[in-house]
Amino acid sequence: MTTWTVGQVADVFGVTVRTLHHYDEIGLLTPSARSAAGYRLYTDADLTRLQQVVVYRRLELPLEEIAGLLDGDEDAVTHLRRQRDAVMTRLDELSGIVAAIDRALEREMSNQPATPEEMKELFGDGFEDEYQQEAQERWGETDAWKQSAARTQRYTKADWEQVKAEMDAVNAAFVAAMSAGEPATSEAAMDAAERHRRHIADRFYDLDHDFHRGLADMYVADPRFTKTYEDVAPGLAQYVHDAIHANADRHASGS
């Protein structure tokens, strides 16, 4: 019976020895043999299983789900067919992303502002024509709206991609603090609130801490704003509101 050492298997499959040890520890891939010195040795059957694991991992399936799939009654052909279907689905998705990137490159090279269609592509349901119209009717005469319109009218799709990435990072900081059990008055939550304020001030319009409080109140008063945060994590809208107020209080006391 031909066998392979951990190092040999790691080289062939492009995984680390540490990963193989982890798979063994959790029972996902336990080598069938041992050397006289007690070292792990992998058989042909082990390598077949590892091949399935590697493909499923590249499809971003969690290890627990992979273990359940491999330990079921399905044969290798069924697994391969499932993997092929999943890869084809991913190819369709990636092809769409590539097409979007190509369009963004074309517009970036010509330095053209982002179109409404591109904005919807980036922000999904968060960008709706009726929301934009309503916002202009409510705040179109304010200095903040005029300043924001002047700044953003030349934003390309690449600029908006960066804006979205910054927004996502701020939301991730809020979620991390909330998930860790940090109160909204904690340093982590208030620092996320300050990043939120700075993001708006840098990208859209001047925003002091008092103005920031008003935005926070709107996040819990307007169901549409509330839903935006609740879709990220349940309870996040109120947490963001409270953190923004706490941050404003912190800066007021420090002034």
Side-chain angles (χ1 to χ4, degrees):
M1 179 178 62
T2 303
T3 58
W4 289 264
T5 66
V6 171
Q8 291 171 327
V9 173
D11 289 341
V12 171
F13 284 86
V15 297
T16 65
V17 170
R18 182 177 180 180
T19 295
L20 292 172
H21 286 175
H22 179 61
Y23 289 171
D24 186 6
E25 291 167 359
I26 65 175
L28 179 61
L29 177 66
T30 301
S32 300
R34 292 275 177 171
S35 69
Y39 294 112
R40 296 171 173 87
L41 293 175
Y42 293 82
T43 64
D44 289 343
D46 297 331
L47 297 189
T48 298
R49 183 177 176 93
L50 178 58
Q51 179 186 18
Q52 303 289 351
V53 172
V54 170
V55 173
Y56 281 130
R57 285 301 290 155
R58 288 180 178 173
L59 295 173
E60 300 181 357
L61 292 184
L63 294 178
E64 290 184 0
E65 185 173 344
I66 294 174
L69 290 171
L70 297 183
D71 293 336
D73 296 329
E74 297 177 346
D75 57 22
V77 172
T78 302
H79 281 295
L80 290 170
R81 285 174 174 166
R82 177 191 290 110
Q83 290 168 353
R84 185 182 189 282
D85 290 343
V87 169
M88 294 304 297
T89 300
R90 182 63 56 83
L91 283 176
D92 290 341
E93 175 187 344
L94 293 177
S95 296
I97 294 174
V98 170
I101 292 173
D102 287 343
R103 290 193 297 272
L105 280 172
E106 182 180 351
R107 300 196 68 84
E108 180 66 13
M109 292 174 68
S110 61
N111 200 29
Q112 296 181 10
T115 65
E117 290 75 17
E118 289 172 334
M119 294 291 286
K120 289 179 181 178
E121 184 179 359
L122 278 173
F123 295 97
D125 293 338
F127 183 89
E128 294 290 348
D129 291 337
E130 60 266 27
Y131 292 172
Q132 300 300 308
Q133 182 177 353
E134 179 184 342
Q136 185 166 6
E137 290 173 354
R138 292 175 64 179
W139 298 299
E141 297 304 317
T142 64
D143 291 338
W145 178 272
K146 294 174 182 177
Q147 186 180 27
S148 178
R151 289 187 185 181
T152 60
Q153 65 178 343
R154 297 187 179 276
Y155 279 6
T156 64
K157 186 178 179 183
D159 293 325
W160 284 112
E161 286 175 339
Q162 183 62 35
V163 169
K164 185 177 185 300
E166 293 167 2
M167 289 170 50
D168 291 344
V170 170
N171 287 340
F174 277 124
V175 171
M178 185 174 71
S179 299
E182 298 281 357
T185 54
S186 67
E187 290 290 326
M190 290 190 292
D191 288 347
E194 183 62 17
R195 285 179 62 186
H196 181 273
R197 186 188 70 83
R198 287 303 316 163
H199 168 71
I200 296 174
D202 292 341
R203 289 294 190 174
F204 300 103
Y205 51 83
D206 296 338
L207 182 66
D208 61 23
H209 291 92
D210 286 337
F211 194 168
H212 203 200
R213 289 181 193 271
L215 288 182
D217 292 341
M218 186 169 59
Y219 294 161
V220 294
D222 189 318
R224 290 170 299 185
F225 283 99
T226 301
K227 183 179 185 300
T228 297
Y229 283 105
E230 294 301 298
D231 286 346
V232 176
L236 186 60
Q238 188 66 51
Y239 188 84
V240 169
H241 168 274
D242 295 347
I244 289 174
H245 274 267
N247 183 58
D249 292 341
R250 174 174 62 168
H251 283 80
S253 61
S255 59

